[in-house]
Amino acid sequence: MTAGNNGASKPEDDDPFGYLYADGQAAGAQAPGQGGYGYPGPAAQPGVPRTSYNQVRAVGERQYGQQQVPPQQGGYGYPPQQQYGQPAQQYNRPNPQYAAPETYPGGASGGQPPAQGGHGGGPGRGGPNTKALLIAAVAVVAVVVIGIGAALLTGDDGDKDDKKDEASTSQGSAGQVEESKKPEKKPKETPKPVELPKQDAATLTLGGPATVESSIEGAQGGNGAYVTGFNHVGSSVTWRAEMKGEGEYRLAVRYAVPAKDADATLAVNGKKNSQPIGLKNFIKSSDPSWEKNWQTTWAPVTLQPGQNEIKISCETGNQCEVILDWVEVTQATS
């Protein structure tokens, strides 16, 4: 089969440039009445080749489901777009939305132009505010100056405080303040024990047949002296003891017996005790030798401050076979 002309509206007539060729012109191809390449004209007619599928429309004219509103005015440097059917605006006419500052009331000497968009921006936005920047810069400088001044003042105060501390701790130099010494805590003084009186029996005031001897060994008195002859009614020794304080004390006596018990009457400041002072054989000795039976005993007494008279005597009813070495006042214990 040979290719040939199959009539109008055939595939071979789809070439939109068919009218440019001799065979297309012979077949009746015509230049499109409107539109351009790829845009068909009116509906196909018998014997007229088909040219395109779409209608040619101006840019921005096509609408999809809603009516497009063309912009009212152009941007910076572009004239406002006119509506369809209205005469075109001349490009050389000045933009009614822009006027030089000197054209506004007050001119360039300080009048405020009406609010309008700046260069390529929204309404009210203009160039940099130099006045605000200047104020901010001045504020920053002021803050820095104030900070430096405060640092200098603080440094001076610190130096002054250091000098005061040095002056307060210095010692010995003339014109400087010496640091006061803290009071030292003194240890509590332990009260010294009161020296209580003690006296040899041979130095006491003797009464009756009592006498002083030193023949028996073991006596602790001066030169070994002691009181003997006490085994008779009316014999006595009297001691005047000086006391610093009133209280209960003990009267201690060193004596010797011939391995048997003895006793005597005790009177303090003229008042006899209800019980005699016991001079017993506490060591339980069976040897009657005097020098082997030295021992001590004590009896409670109440003394007053100052001088006190203590008397040991052999009265009726006492067993007074005893020799006396010394007498002493000791502290009473509970």
Side-chain angles (χ1 to χ4, degrees):
M1 180 179 295
T2 60
N5 185 8
N6 293 325
S9 301
K10 298 299 188 292
E12 59 269 20
D13 296 330
D14 289 342
D15 187 0
F17 300 100
Y19 67 94
L20 298 176
Y21 309 101
D23 55 352
Q25 293 177 0
Q30 298 179 0
Q34 60 181 356
Y37 173 77
Y39 294 92
Q45 300 294 330
V48 179
R50 184 172 58 189
T51 59
S52 179
Y53 294 97
N54 299 316
Q55 300 293 327
V56 178
R57 296 177 182 272
V59 176
E61 182 180 359
R62 183 181 296 275
Q63 299 180 358
Y64 297 92
Q66 62 181 354
Q67 183 177 1
Q68 294 183 356
V69 180
Q72 298 297 326
Q73 60 182 8
Y76 177 77
Y78 295 93
Q81 184 177 359
Q82 70 276 7
Q83 302 292 334
Y84 291 100
Q86 295 182 359
Q89 184 178 0
Q90 297 181 5
Y91 290 98
N92 294 330
R93 294 180 61 185
N95 191 337
Q97 299 298 324
Y98 174 81
E102 58 269 13
T103 61
Y104 291 99
S109 61
Q112 297 295 332
Q116 62 178 11
H119 175 72
R125 185 173 62 183
N129 191 340
T130 57
K131 186 176 181 180
L133 293 177
L134 180 59
I135 294 175
V138 172
V140 171
V141 173
V143 170
V144 173
V145 172
I146 292 174
I148 294 174
L152 293 176
L153 293 176
T154 305
D156 294 340
D157 293 340
D159 294 339
K160 293 179 181 179
D161 293 340
D162 293 341
K163 292 179 180 179
K164 289 181 179 179
D165 294 339
E166 293 176 358
S168 60
T169 55
S170 62
Q171 296 181 0
S173 300
Q176 293 181 343
V177 180
E178 295 184 359
E179 185 179 4
S180 59
K181 297 182 180 180
K182 297 181 179 179
E184 298 180 357
K185 293 183 179 179
K186 296 181 180 180
K188 294 182 178 180
E189 296 181 358
T190 304
K192 296 180 180 180
V194 178
E195 294 183 4
L196 298 177
K198 180 180 180 180
Q199 192 168 347
D200 294 340
T203 62
L204 300 180
T205 302
L206 304 181
T211 187
V212 175
E213 291 186 7
S214 56
S215 59
I216 299 175
E217 296 181 356
Q220 297 177 353
N223 297 323
Y226 54 88
V227 175
T228 187
F230 203 74
N231 193 17
H232 299 280
V233 175
S235 299
S236 65
V237 291
T238 303
W239 180 30
R240 290 177 176 82
E242 190 76 22
M243 300 299 299
K244 294 182 178 180
E246 179 182 7
E248 300 295 325
Y249 297 91
R250 288 180 177 181
L251 177 66
V253 179
R254 187 173 188 264
Y255 64 97
V257 291
K260 59 181 181 181
D261 295 339
D263 59 21
T265 301
L266 176 63
V268 178
N269 296 322
K271 183 179 181 181
K272 293 183 180 181
N273 282 9
S274 58
Q275 297 293 332
I277 184 172
L279 304 172
K280 297 181 179 181
N281 182 21
F282 291 107
I283 62 175
K284 306 297 182 183
S285 175
S286 58
D287 190 346
S289 301
W290 295 88
E291 63 271 10
K292 295 181 179 179
N293 293 291
W294 290 104
Q295 50 197 302
T296 60
T297 188
W298 63 271
V301 292
T302 302
L303 304 178
Q304 63 187 10
Q307 195 177 69
N308 293 265
E309 184 181 273
I310 301 172
K311 183 179 180 181
I312 301 175
S313 61
C314 182
E315 305 292 340
T316 301
N318 294 136
Q319 300 294 327
C320 304
E321 193 175 357
V322 62
I323 57 177
L324 304 176
D325 187 12
W326 50 253
V327 292
E328 181 183 17
V329 174
T330 61
Q331 194 72 44
T333 58
S334 56

